[in-house]
Short mmCIF file of all heavy atoms in Angstrom, two decimals:
data_model
loop_
_atom_site.label_atom_id
_atom_site.label_comp_id
_atom_site.label_asym_id
_atom_site.label_seq_id
_atom_site.Cartn_x
_atom_site.Cartn_y
_atom_site.Cartn_z
N SER K 551 -248.24 97.21 -166.59
CA SER K 551 -249.30 96.34 -166.10
C SER K 551 -248.74 95.29 -165.16
O SER K 551 -247.64 94.77 -165.35
CB SER K 551 -250.00 95.66 -167.27
OG SER K 551 -250.95 94.74 -166.82
N MET K 552 -249.51 94.98 -164.12
CA MET K 552 -249.15 93.90 -163.21
C MET K 552 -249.47 92.54 -163.80
O MET K 552 -249.22 91.51 -163.20
CB MET K 552 -249.91 94.06 -161.88
CG MET K 552 -249.53 95.30 -161.09
SD MET K 552 -247.77 95.32 -160.65
CE MET K 552 -247.72 93.89 -159.58
N LEU K 553 -250.04 92.55 -165.00
CA LEU K 553 -250.37 91.29 -165.63
C LEU K 553 -249.15 90.57 -166.15
O LEU K 553 -249.20 89.41 -166.52
CB LEU K 553 -251.34 91.53 -166.80
CG LEU K 553 -252.64 92.28 -166.42
CD1 LEU K 553 -253.47 92.48 -167.66
CD2 LEU K 553 -253.40 91.49 -165.38
N SER K 554 -248.03 91.22 -166.21
CA SER K 554 -246.80 90.61 -166.69
C SER K 554 -245.72 90.78 -165.64
O SER K 554 -245.60 91.82 -164.99
CB SER K 554 -246.35 91.27 -168.01
OG SER K 554 -245.09 90.76 -168.40
N THR K 555 -244.92 89.75 -165.46
CA THR K 555 -243.84 89.80 -164.47
C THR K 555 -242.73 90.72 -164.91
O THR K 555 -241.90 91.12 -164.09
CB THR K 555 -243.29 88.38 -164.25
OG1 THR K 555 -242.86 87.85 -165.52
CG2 THR K 555 -244.35 87.47 -163.67
N ARG K 556 -242.67 91.08 -166.19
CA ARG K 556 -241.61 91.94 -166.70
C ARG K 556 -242.06 93.40 -166.82
O ARG K 556 -241.38 94.21 -167.42
CB ARG K 556 -241.13 91.44 -168.06
CG ARG K 556 -240.40 90.12 -167.99
CD ARG K 556 -239.88 89.71 -169.34
NE ARG K 556 -240.96 89.34 -170.25
CZ ARG K 556 -240.78 88.95 -171.51
NH1 ARG K 556 -239.57 88.90 -172.00
NH2 ARG K 556 -241.80 88.63 -172.27
N LYS K 557 -243.24 93.72 -166.24
CA LYS K 557 -243.73 95.11 -166.24
C LYS K 557 -243.82 95.68 -167.65
O LYS K 557 -243.42 96.80 -167.92
CB LYS K 557 -242.85 96.00 -165.37
CG LYS K 557 -242.62 95.49 -163.96
CD LYS K 557 -243.91 95.39 -163.17
CE LYS K 557 -243.65 94.91 -161.76
NZ LYS K 557 -244.90 94.69 -161.00
N ARG K 558 -244.30 94.86 -168.59
CA ARG K 558 -244.41 95.33 -169.97
C ARG K 558 -245.58 96.30 -170.10
O ARG K 558 -246.53 96.27 -169.34
CB ARG K 558 -244.62 94.14 -170.90
CG ARG K 558 -243.45 93.19 -170.94
CD ARG K 558 -243.73 92.01 -171.83
NE ARG K 558 -244.01 92.43 -173.19
CZ ARG K 558 -244.33 91.57 -174.16
NH1 ARG K 558 -244.38 90.28 -173.92
NH2 ARG K 558 -244.58 92.01 -175.38
N ARG K 559 -245.50 97.17 -171.10
CA ARG K 559 -246.55 98.15 -171.35
C ARG K 559 -247.50 97.60 -172.41
O ARG K 559 -247.08 96.91 -173.34
CB ARG K 559 -245.95 99.48 -171.82
CG ARG K 559 -245.17 100.20 -170.73
CD ARG K 559 -244.67 101.54 -171.21
NE ARG K 559 -244.03 102.27 -170.13
CZ ARG K 559 -244.66 103.09 -169.32
NH1 ARG K 559 -245.96 103.28 -169.47
NH2 ARG K 559 -244.02 103.72 -168.36
N TYR K 560 -248.77 97.93 -172.27
CA TYR K 560 -249.79 97.43 -173.16
C TYR K 560 -250.61 98.59 -173.71
O TYR K 560 -250.50 99.73 -173.25
CB TYR K 560 -250.71 96.44 -172.43
CG TYR K 560 -249.98 95.19 -171.97
CD1 TYR K 560 -249.39 95.14 -170.71
CD2 TYR K 560 -249.87 94.10 -172.81
CE1 TYR K 560 -248.72 94.01 -170.30
CE2 TYR K 560 -249.20 92.96 -172.40
CZ TYR K 560 -248.63 92.92 -171.14
OH TYR K 560 -247.96 91.79 -170.75
N ILE K 561 -251.46 98.29 -174.70
CA ILE K 561 -252.31 99.28 -175.35
C ILE K 561 -253.74 98.83 -175.17
O ILE K 561 -254.07 97.65 -175.31
CB ILE K 561 -251.96 99.39 -176.85
CG1 ILE K 561 -250.47 99.73 -177.02
CG2 ILE K 561 -252.82 100.42 -177.54
CD1 ILE K 561 -250.03 99.71 -178.46
N THR K 562 -254.61 99.78 -174.86
CA THR K 562 -256.01 99.45 -174.64
C THR K 562 -256.66 98.98 -175.94
O THR K 562 -256.36 99.49 -177.03
CB THR K 562 -256.77 100.66 -174.10
OG1 THR K 562 -256.66 101.74 -175.05
CG2 THR K 562 -256.18 101.09 -172.76
N LEU K 563 -257.56 98.02 -175.81
CA LEU K 563 -258.22 97.46 -176.99
C LEU K 563 -259.14 98.50 -177.64
O LEU K 563 -259.25 98.56 -178.87
CB LEU K 563 -259.02 96.22 -176.58
CG LEU K 563 -259.89 95.59 -177.65
CD1 LEU K 563 -259.04 95.05 -178.78
CD2 LEU K 563 -260.76 94.50 -177.08
N SER K 564 -259.82 99.32 -176.81
CA SER K 564 -260.78 100.29 -177.36
C SER K 564 -260.10 101.28 -178.30
O SER K 564 -260.64 101.59 -179.37
CB SER K 564 -261.47 101.04 -176.21
OG SER K 564 -260.48 101.69 -175.40
N SER K 565 -258.90 101.76 -177.94
CA SER K 565 -258.22 102.72 -178.81
C SER K 565 -257.75 102.06 -180.10
O SER K 565 -257.80 102.68 -181.17
CB SER K 565 -257.02 103.33 -178.07
OG SER K 565 -256.06 102.33 -177.75
N VAL K 566 -257.33 100.81 -180.03
CA VAL K 566 -256.89 100.10 -181.25
C VAL K 566 -258.06 99.88 -182.18
O VAL K 566 -257.97 100.09 -183.40
CB VAL K 566 -256.22 98.77 -180.87
CG1 VAL K 566 -255.90 97.96 -182.13
CG2 VAL K 566 -254.94 99.02 -180.08
N MET K 567 -259.22 99.44 -181.63
CA MET K 567 -260.38 99.18 -182.48
C MET K 567 -260.92 100.47 -183.08
O MET K 567 -261.39 100.49 -184.23
CB MET K 567 -261.46 98.48 -181.66
CG MET K 567 -261.06 97.12 -181.13
SD MET K 567 -260.47 96.02 -182.43
CE MET K 567 -261.92 95.87 -183.43
N ALA K 568 -260.88 101.58 -182.32
CA ALA K 568 -261.34 102.86 -182.87
C ALA K 568 -260.46 103.32 -184.02
O ALA K 568 -260.96 103.79 -185.06
CB ALA K 568 -261.35 103.91 -181.76
N LEU K 569 -259.15 103.17 -183.87
CA LEU K 569 -258.24 103.56 -184.95
C LEU K 569 -258.39 102.64 -186.14
O LEU K 569 -258.28 103.08 -187.29
CB LEU K 569 -256.80 103.55 -184.43
CG LEU K 569 -255.73 104.10 -185.39
CD1 LEU K 569 -256.03 105.55 -185.73
CD2 LEU K 569 -254.35 103.99 -184.76
N ARG K 570 -258.67 101.34 -185.90
CA ARG K 570 -258.83 100.42 -187.02
C ARG K 570 -260.09 100.75 -187.82
O ARG K 570 -260.10 100.65 -189.06
CB ARG K 570 -258.89 98.98 -186.52
CG ARG K 570 -258.89 97.96 -187.65
CD ARG K 570 -258.88 96.54 -187.15
NE ARG K 570 -260.16 96.15 -186.58
CZ ARG K 570 -260.52 94.88 -186.38
NH1 ARG K 570 -259.67 93.91 -186.69
NH2 ARG K 570 -261.69 94.58 -185.85
N SER K 571 -261.19 101.14 -187.13
CA SER K 571 -262.41 101.51 -187.85
C SER K 571 -262.18 102.74 -188.72
O SER K 571 -262.70 102.83 -189.84
CB SER K 571 -263.53 101.77 -186.85
OG SER K 571 -263.20 102.86 -185.99
N VAL K 572 -261.40 103.70 -188.22
CA VAL K 572 -261.08 104.88 -189.02
C VAL K 572 -260.22 104.50 -190.21
O VAL K 572 -260.41 105.00 -191.33
CB VAL K 572 -260.37 105.94 -188.14
CG1 VAL K 572 -259.90 107.10 -189.00
CG2 VAL K 572 -261.31 106.43 -187.05
N ALA K 573 -259.26 103.60 -189.99
CA ALA K 573 -258.37 103.20 -191.08
C ALA K 573 -259.11 102.44 -192.15
O ALA K 573 -258.82 102.58 -193.35
CB ALA K 573 -257.23 102.35 -190.51
N ARG K 574 -260.12 101.64 -191.76
CA ARG K 574 -260.86 100.87 -192.76
C ARG K 574 -261.77 101.75 -193.61
O ARG K 574 -262.04 101.44 -194.76
CB ARG K 574 -261.69 99.80 -192.06
CG ARG K 574 -260.85 98.64 -191.52
CD ARG K 574 -261.73 97.52 -191.00
NE ARG K 574 -260.93 96.35 -190.66
CZ ARG K 574 -261.46 95.21 -190.21
NH1 ARG K 574 -262.76 95.10 -190.03
NH2 ARG K 574 -260.68 94.19 -189.93
N SER K 575 -262.26 102.84 -193.05
CA SER K 575 -263.12 103.73 -193.82
C SER K 575 -262.33 104.70 -194.70
O SER K 575 -262.92 105.36 -195.56
CB SER K 575 -264.02 104.53 -192.86
OG SER K 575 -263.23 105.33 -191.98
N ALA K 576 -261.04 104.83 -194.50
CA ALA K 576 -260.23 105.76 -195.28
C ALA K 576 -259.92 105.17 -196.66
O ALA K 576 -259.91 103.95 -196.85
CB ALA K 576 -258.93 106.08 -194.54
N ILE K 577 -259.66 106.04 -197.62
CA ILE K 577 -259.30 105.65 -198.99
C ILE K 577 -257.84 106.00 -199.20
O ILE K 577 -257.47 107.18 -199.17
CB ILE K 577 -260.19 106.37 -200.02
CG1 ILE K 577 -261.68 106.11 -199.73
CG2 ILE K 577 -259.84 105.91 -201.43
CD1 ILE K 577 -262.61 106.89 -200.63
N TYR K 578 -257.01 104.98 -199.44
CA TYR K 578 -255.58 105.19 -199.61
C TYR K 578 -255.22 105.24 -201.09
O TYR K 578 -256.04 104.92 -201.98
CB TYR K 578 -254.80 104.09 -198.90
CG TYR K 578 -255.00 104.07 -197.41
CD1 TYR K 578 -255.87 103.17 -196.81
CD2 TYR K 578 -254.32 104.97 -196.59
CE1 TYR K 578 -256.06 103.16 -195.43
CE2 TYR K 578 -254.50 104.98 -195.22
CZ TYR K 578 -255.38 104.07 -194.64
OH TYR K 578 -255.57 104.06 -193.29
N THR K 579 -253.98 105.61 -201.34
CA THR K 579 -253.51 105.74 -202.72
C THR K 579 -253.60 104.41 -203.46
O THR K 579 -253.96 104.36 -204.64
CB THR K 579 -252.06 106.26 -202.73
OG1 THR K 579 -251.99 107.51 -202.03
CG2 THR K 579 -251.58 106.47 -204.15
#
Side-chain angles (χ1 to χ4, degrees):
S551 176
M552 294 300 296
L553 304 178
S554 175
T555 56
R556 292 183 290 180
K557 308 298 182 185
R558 296 177 59 182
R559 291 183 175 271
Y560 296 90
I561 303 174
T562 59
L563 174 65
S564 58
S565 63
V566 174
M567 297 306 297
L569 187 60
R570 187 177 73 163
S571 62
V572 174
R574 287 188 172 182
S575 61
I577 304 175
Y578 296 100
T579 303

